[in-house]
Amino acid sequence: MLKTHSCGELRGEHVGQVVKLAGWVSRRRDMGGVIFIDLRDRNGKTQVVIDSGRSQENFDLAQQIRSEYVLQITGEVVRRLAGQENPNLPTGDIEVTATEVTVLNPAKTPPFQIDRETAVDESLRLKFRYLDLRRERLQRNIILRHKAIKFIRDFLDQRDFVEIETPILFKSTPEGARDYLVPSRVHPGKFYALPQSPQQLKQLLMVAGYERYFQIARCFRDEDLRADRQPEFTQLDMEISFVERDDILDLIEALMVGMVKEVSLVPLASAQFPRISYREAMERFGTDRPDLRYGLELVDISDIAGKSAFRVFAENAAAGNPVKAIRVPGCGNYSRKEVSELEEIAKANGAKGLATMALDPDTGEMKGFITKFFTVDQLIALTERLEAEPGDLLLFASDEKLVVYAVLGALREEMGRRLGLKDTNELSFCWVIDFPLFEETLEDEHYAPSHHMFTAPKRAHIPLLDTDPHAVLSEQYDLVCNGFEVAGGSIRIHERPLQRKIMELIGFSWEEAEEQFGHMLEAFEYGAPPHGGIAPGIDRIVALMAGEPNIREVMAFPKTAQATDLMSDTPSYVAQKQLDELQLAVLSQEE
Ligand code: ASP
């Protein structure tokens, strides 16, 4: 090794030893005759002293040295003079007096400060990712990620799981997104698909008898671009045979609690994760990924508002649609402009408008355009139902229930943010269970799987598949943390006839089902055990544990929201020869 110790290692007990260190120049201070260098490596920093009195040659060399130069230093560990210790640095009691200084490599001036957490434009950070990764924040995150994955591997290994790799070049697996395709050179016109997840393969591993499988799996989805989405991401992919739902929930809960305790910078709100039905989540929070760090719950007021003279409420209630409200403490003084900002959010989520009431902070008197449509008794009943207090703002929605959920769910989230209720110093987990098998949509014609087509309906609901498919509940479960879906899974279908039936309901013809999923359907005829699984998203969970708002901060080489890599300029054009070999023609190119 070019070094005997790391830059974070030396302490008082090493005083008197001759050591070799190697690392980057974090900072250099020229005190005239003496130069101090903070030498940094992954483990920390050590102060190196280069004294012209000891060696003019070393001193002259040190004068040329700049930030981020790579140095090797030989020297003696000495105790710092009394009063000169640096209590902020683990190595702050000592310094190394250099006897030899070697520049292993000079460095250009970096485009941003490595040593200090300054605000840097993210595209610059992504272009020079290898320098960004040298900074403390990312180093901490990347190492935290390593520890999380190590914890997962150890935890599952102790519980008899087998880690199995599955192919990256495979057949299209429908998880609802678009596939990334890879053309085959040897089979012109044919394509592989990068896996959206190893879903089919892990189920086939259950048919193969492995019983407990996991993999730290890369997944690829060519979805519409969004600020915080990555075209490739990592899941802890798992599948277990002979289990029931609660076995999986208990196992994952133990894994999460153990992992958070061991590696997370942000603590758990509770080691018991509440289990909430999909229906309850929608009714109370307007979303199936509720953020339980704060209240602002949706309250049903259909019975009261339905009797009011406000036509929209009365008509909706009469039609069986809900009238719901949330109470926002202390926002009764919102200006017209602030209320219209909220109205915009409501409209963006499908509302035709936003009805509000404000309670006067002093008198508690209820104000707002719609109050005049309510009798005094109705207003009192509303106040009681909502537990409203002077100074509160009340936000109402009435429409088809999915619109009401979307509108008030979005407003709840917005107000949680505005009121600073999203405590960044806690991880609040919950399970959402008892999902409908088919997605609830405004038009009821189409049956799209709520999770994916391999998810089992609840046994008792199977007969409903023939009569009322939208009433069928499934064995799907999602793990939610701070408003993010951090894992999704289900007990699977393991019988061919049922799988075929679900495929048909989703809209696959006999031929399509055989062509795309023939291998799965066939496998189910060779003794497929009952099985189920789940796939926690590693990037998001690590971001939450690191207290980072964005998954890019916990990925070594993330892509931009436009799915590009700024460092290597990817995606990029390829040589005509490569296209020819693949028998591909490009019809148009980006400007
Ligand atoms: N394959 C699923 C997903 O990626 C997870 C699972 O059902 O295990 O969401």
Side-chain angles (χ1 to χ4, degrees):
M1 288 292 287
L2 298 184
K3 52 184 183 176
T4 55
H5 294 80
S6 81
C7 293
E9 206 177 331
L10 298 172
R11 300 284 184 276
E13 72 210 58
H14 297 99
V15 166
Q17 290 186 18
V18 173
V19 297
K20 267 191 208 310
L21 300 179
W24 290 262
V25 175
S26 169
R27 226 178 297 166
R28 192 195 66 129
R29 276 158 295 146
D30 192 335
M31 310 299 277
V34 184
I35 288 175
F36 291 95
I37 286 178
D38 289 342
L39 197 68
R40 181 194 70 231
D41 66 13
R42 207 183 79 195
N43 287 295
K45 286 180 197 162
T46 302
Q47 175 161 290
V48 174
V49 186
I50 303 168
D51 188 342
S52 60
R54 266 182 181 254
S55 159
Q56 189 63 39
E57 194 190 336
N58 284 346
F59 184 79
D60 292 344
L61 178 62
Q63 281 193 311
Q64 318 289 318
I65 287 168
R66 295 287 172 267
S67 283
E68 302 308 312
Y69 272 41
V70 187
L71 304 186
Q72 183 190 37
I73 301 287
T74 309
E76 189 187 330
V77 184
V78 298
R79 192 172 294 282
R80 292 197 196 185
L81 293 177
Q84 313 231 321
E85 301 90 350
N86 180 353
N88 301 323
L89 216 57
T91 62
D93 285 345
I94 58 93
E95 58 194 13
V96 171
T97 317
T99 49
E100 265 175 62
V101 178
T102 310
V103 175
L104 298 175
N105 216 346
K108 288 187 4 188
T109 306
F112 46 80
Q113 276 202 328
I114 307 286
D115 214 46
R116 241 172 271 163
E117 232 7 276
T118 49
V120 181
D121 177 51
E122 200 186 2
S123 48
L124 196 63
R125 292 176 55 204
L126 289 171
K127 182 164 163 58
F128 293 94
R129 191 60 165 181
Y130 45 87
L131 295 180
D132 198 20
L133 283 164
R134 236 183 238 173
R135 301 167 95 201
E136 201 178 305
R137 173 182 177 187
L138 284 199
Q139 218 175 76
R140 185 199 65 196
N141 291 351
I142 297 295
I143 291 168
L144 192 153
R145 183 179 179 121
H146 158 76
K147 287 187 181 152
I149 291 178
K150 175 163 172 10
F151 181 91
I152 290 169
R153 285 209 159 98
D154 292 345
F155 180 96
L156 294 175
D157 178 65
Q158 281 159 16
R159 285 159 185 78
D160 206 26
F161 280 77
V162 186
E163 183 168 6
I164 305 175
E165 290 172 87
T166 54
I168 292 293
L169 296 179
F170 196 59
K171 205 179 171 82
S172 171
T173 303
E175 298 265 357
R178 211 174 286 114
D179 287 321
Y180 278 101
L181 297 175
V182 181
S184 160
R185 180 181 56 80
V186 273
H187 303 284
K190 291 189 174 172
F191 292 81
Y192 304 95
L194 304 184
Q196 290 185 36
S197 86
Q199 184 62 37
Q200 296 185 45
L201 294 155
K202 67 174 168 177
Q203 290 193 244
L204 293 169
L205 286 168
M206 295 303 104
V207 181
Y210 285 86
E211 291 193 41
R212 295 177 152 238
Y213 143 92
F214 84 98
Q215 177 180 197
I216 306 296
R218 195 63 65 82
C219 304
F220 305 85
R221 296 183 192 178
D222 190 0
E223 288 179 290
D224 288 338
L225 303 168
R226 251 203 244 150
D228 200 14
R229 202 178 247 176
Q230 288 282 314
E232 53 181 300
F233 55 93
T234 307
Q235 284 183 343
L236 160 59
D237 195 47
M238 298 171 63
E239 200 73 13
I240 316 175
S241 294
F242 309 114
V243 276
E244 290 173 320
R245 181 193 72 194
D246 287 355
D247 301 315
I248 295 186
L249 270 46
D250 292 345
L251 177 85
I252 295 296
E253 211 164 304
L255 170 66
M256 291 295 159
V257 169
M259 179 167 68
V260 169
K261 287 200 172 134
E262 183 133 330
V263 312
S264 181
L265 303 178
V266 181
L268 284 171
S270 158
Q272 293 283 320
F273 301 177
R275 296 178 184 180
I276 304 173
S277 75
Y278 167 86
R279 181 62 49 220
E280 183 183 344
M282 297 304 277
E283 276 170 12
R284 288 175 55 197
F285 307 101
T287 172
D288 59 4
R289 36 174 193 79
D291 190 336
L292 297 190
R293 287 174 297 175
Y294 57 94
L296 304 181
E297 290 189 21
L298 284 55
V299 178
D300 194 286
I301 52 156
S302 308
D303 53 335
I304 305 169
K307 290 192 204 106
S308 76
F310 189 52
R311 239 193 39 220
V312 182
F313 289 176
E315 282 177 7
N316 268 311
N321 287 331
V323 186
K324 284 182 168 266
I326 53 180
R327 173 181 84 89
V328 191
C331 291
N333 57 354
Y334 255 29
S335 66
R336 199 174 279 260
K337 177 166 165 284
E338 285 168 310
V339 171
S340 70
E341 283 165 8
L342 299 182
E343 182 159 20
E344 285 315 308
I345 295 174
K347 284 183 176 165
N349 285 281
K352 295 174 196 82
L354 179 66
T356 64
M357 284 188 201
L359 278 75
D360 186 278
D362 301 318
T363 62
E365 188 201 339
M366 297 175 92
K367 296 184 214 152
F369 162 70
I370 60 166
T371 38
K372 63 172 180 258
F373 299 104
F374 285 74
T375 64
V376 172
D377 283 348
Q378 287 166 346
L379 289 176
I380 291 171
L382 258 190
T383 326
E384 279 173 2
R385 176 76 54 82
L386 291 164
E387 293 172 21
E389 289 180 15
D392 288 352
L393 176 68
L394 309 179
L395 305 173
F396 298 88
S398 178
D399 207 312
E400 287 194 49
K401 72 174 187 233
L402 291 181
V403 175
V404 171
Y405 296 153
V407 168
L408 290 184
L411 288 172
R412 174 178 181 267
E413 152 108 75
E414 171 71 13
M415 296 318 299
R417 195 179 57 73
R418 287 190 184 204
L419 295 178
L421 300 176
K422 300 183 171 210
D423 186 349
T424 49
N425 202 34
E426 69 174 47
L427 299 179
S428 185
F429 283 92
C430 67
W431 288 102
V432 180
I433 54 176
D434 297 341
F435 280 79
L437 183 64
F438 299 111
E439 227 171 52
E440 288 192 297
T441 50
L442 283 176
E443 67 278 9
D444 258 6
E445 303 309 316
H446 183 64
Y447 299 114
S450 159
H451 184 44
H452 52 54
M453 65 171 80
F454 308 110
T455 297
K458 284 190 183 293
R459 281 268 145 207
H461 289 197
I462 289 177
L464 285 173
L465 286 169
D466 295 319
T467 52
D468 187 5
H470 275 297
V472 176
L473 293 186
S474 79
E475 296 285 0
Q476 177 190 346
Y477 30 82
D478 282 0
L479 181 63
V480 174
C481 181
N482 292 5
F484 292 101
E485 182 198 324
V486 294
S490 57
I491 299 299
R492 324 296 185 188
I493 299 165
H494 64 278
E495 298 132 316
R496 181 184 167 113
L498 184 57
Q499 185 67 73
R500 278 301 321 258
K501 192 180 186 88
I502 300 290
M503 285 174 174
E504 265 164 47
L505 275 166
I506 293 170
F508 285 94
S509 69
W510 181 271
E511 292 76 31
E512 283 166 338
E514 288 300 329
E515 187 194 310
Q516 291 189 42
F517 306 107
H519 56 287
M520 291 287 283
L521 294 168
E522 186 169 26
F524 286 174
E525 295 184 301
Y526 286 95
H531 60 285
I534 188 164
I538 302 271
D539 309 290
R540 173 59 63 196
I541 292 170
V542 174
L544 287 165
M545 292 197 299
E548 290 287 4
N550 187 309
I551 57 173
R552 292 193 292 278
E553 304 296 353
V554 299
M555 301 174 96
F557 298 102
K559 294 189 175 55
T560 64
Q562 275 69 45
T564 59
D565 178 295
L566 296 179
M567 187 178 64
S568 67
D569 190 20
T570 305
S572 54
Y573 297 117
V574 295
Q576 186 60 43
K577 181 164 172 285
Q578 289 172 288
L579 292 174
D580 293 345
E581 277 174 351
L582 294 167
Q583 312 230 28
L584 290 180
V586 173
L587 298 182
S588 74
Q589 290 190 344
E590 203 178 31
E591 293 293 299

